[in-house]
Amino acid sequence: MTNNISFPNLGISVNIDPVALHIGSKNIYWYALIILTGFLLGLLLASSGSEKRGVKKDNVWDIALIGIVAGIICARIYYVLFALDEFKDDPLDVFKIWEGGLAIYGGIIGAIISTCIYCKIQKINLPNVLDVCCPGLLLGQAIGRWGNFVNCEVYGQSTDSLFAMSINGAEPVQPLFLYESLWSLAGVIIMLLLRNKKTKNGQTFFFYLLWYSCGRLVLEGMRNTSYILYLIPDVLGISQFVAALLILISIAGFIYVTRSKKKCFVPLPPISKNENDRASDMDEKNTN
């Protein structure tokens, strides 16, 4: 089914079919392709320059591949726990993740837990790994939100603002996917500009938690009620509660690691051509 998505106040109108292409009798959806694109670009961002920050590229790839599996599992568990009524008639529907029902906070929690376990087993500095990976994670989230756009889902309340979005001629609503995507992208840019200026490992990660949670706290209050998982029915959404909790945790965590006496990993400066030549000369002399 093709949907018409328009931004009346901007004079923009597009027709989008959620199905990107067909392979035999199978449909390949834009949502899946967008999520995959976000994952790959986020992974490339995290792995680029990771070694000069003390994390091997192989470790980044391992963490990402394990994290996406753990993230999907925990995203589903998170959703199901707060939407049990949807599954009371047929409990086996819990396993039908292709029908939707993944909560982003559950995915983030799952990815962080799997990363902690991986770093413990591999004996890698966890705070530094989190600092290296979180810009890529947030970039993946920024791109992934456009999957909600093509699916015409997770939008906000009615509005007549400049960015008001109408779906199939219905009353214009807040395009929350756009707001969150832009907010996340701004966070990525800030982290890339500041990550080499950190004084302690973990600061970049706690900034990520703070930045993303502040955005979610505001945007959840604008969300259409049909897309809210409630902790207290019609009063407090679970994502609002988690966002507020993570804001407190991120502030406390940032202060804690900043005051910590542990040394921070300092990125290695780029080696100039002259330095490379001198190093080669020294190797030749040592060999001779």
Side-chain angles (χ1 to χ4, degrees):
M1 174 185 174
T2 300
N3 295 302
N4 176 263
I5 305 175
S6 64
F7 296 83
N9 297 330
L10 296 176
I12 298 173
S13 180
V14 293
N15 293 314
I16 297 180
D17 187 340
V19 178
L21 53 95
H22 305 276
I23 300 179
S25 60
K26 299 293 183 181
N27 294 331
I28 306 299
Y29 290 87
W30 280 114
Y31 185 89
L33 295 178
I34 291 171
I35 295 297
L36 179 60
T37 300
F39 172 76
L40 292 176
L41 291 180
L43 177 53
L44 290 175
L45 176 62
S47 61
S48 64
S50 64
E51 298 203 354
K52 75 174 185 178
R53 294 180 175 82
V55 183
K56 295 180 180 179
K57 285 186 178 181
D58 287 347
N59 292 140
V60 174
W61 280 78
D62 288 344
I63 287 168
L65 294 174
I66 296 171
I68 195 170
V69 175
I72 291 173
I73 293 173
C74 290
R76 184 59 169 177
I77 292 173
Y78 185 106
Y79 179 86
V80 170
L81 286 177
F82 296 99
L84 291 174
D85 287 344
E86 293 184 21
F87 307 97
K88 61 183 179 181
D89 294 331
D90 190 354
L92 292 179
D93 284 349
V94 166
F95 301 101
K96 298 179 180 179
I97 62 173
W98 55 88
E99 294 182 356
L102 298 175
I104 183 62
Y105 265 132
I108 293 172
I109 292 169
I112 292 174
I113 291 174
S114 67
T115 301
C116 291
I117 295 172
Y118 179 88
C119 290
K120 179 70 174 178
I121 294 174
Q122 298 293 325
K123 298 180 180 178
I124 304 173
N125 185 299
L126 174 62
N128 188 46
V129 167
L130 292 174
D131 284 350
V132 168
C133 293
C134 60
L137 175 59
L138 191 55
L139 176 61
Q141 291 172 233
I143 295 172
R145 274 304 174 196
W146 285 83
N148 298 136
F149 170 69
V150 298
N151 276 2
C152 299
E153 60 186 6
V154 195
Y155 44 79
Q157 300 167 2
S158 300
T159 183
D160 59 356
S161 68
L162 177 64
F163 297 103
M165 177 181 69
S166 175
I167 300 172
N168 295 324
E171 183 179 18
V173 293
Q174 297 278 11
L176 297 189
F177 83 92
L178 177 62
Y179 300 156
E180 185 169 331
S181 181
L182 293 176
W183 178 259
S184 297
L185 185 59
V188 173
I189 294 172
I190 292 172
M191 282 192 286
L192 293 180
L193 292 174
L194 299 180
R195 65 180 177 178
N196 288 346
K197 299 182 183 298
K198 69 177 185 178
T199 58
K200 293 293 173 64
N201 292 329
Q203 288 178 331
T204 304
F205 171 70
F206 284 117
F207 171 81
Y208 156 75
L209 281 186
L210 177 64
W211 182 267
Y212 181 69
S213 297
C214 284
R216 281 304 295 267
L217 184 63
V218 173
L219 294 176
E220 282 295 315
M222 300 166 60
R223 181 174 287 211
N224 185 289
T225 55
S226 63
Y227 289 108
I228 297 178
L229 294 175
Y230 282 103
L231 182 64
I232 301 175
D234 301 321
V235 176
L236 179 65
I238 180 61
S239 289
Q240 286 180 303
F241 173 77
V242 172
L245 181 62
L246 287 179
I247 288 172
L248 296 177
I249 291 174
S250 59
I251 293 173
F254 189 92
I255 294 173
Y256 173 78
V257 298
T258 300
R259 292 181 175 179
S260 172
K261 295 181 180 180
K262 293 183 179 180
K263 293 183 179 180
C264 172
F265 177 83
V266 179
L268 297 175
I271 299 176
S272 66
K273 184 177 184 300
N274 291 335
E275 289 175 327
N276 273 328
D277 292 341
R278 285 197 296 269
S280 298
D281 292 340
M282 289 296 294
D283 288 341
E284 289 181 7
K285 290 179 181 179
N286 291 334
T287 302
N288 296 330

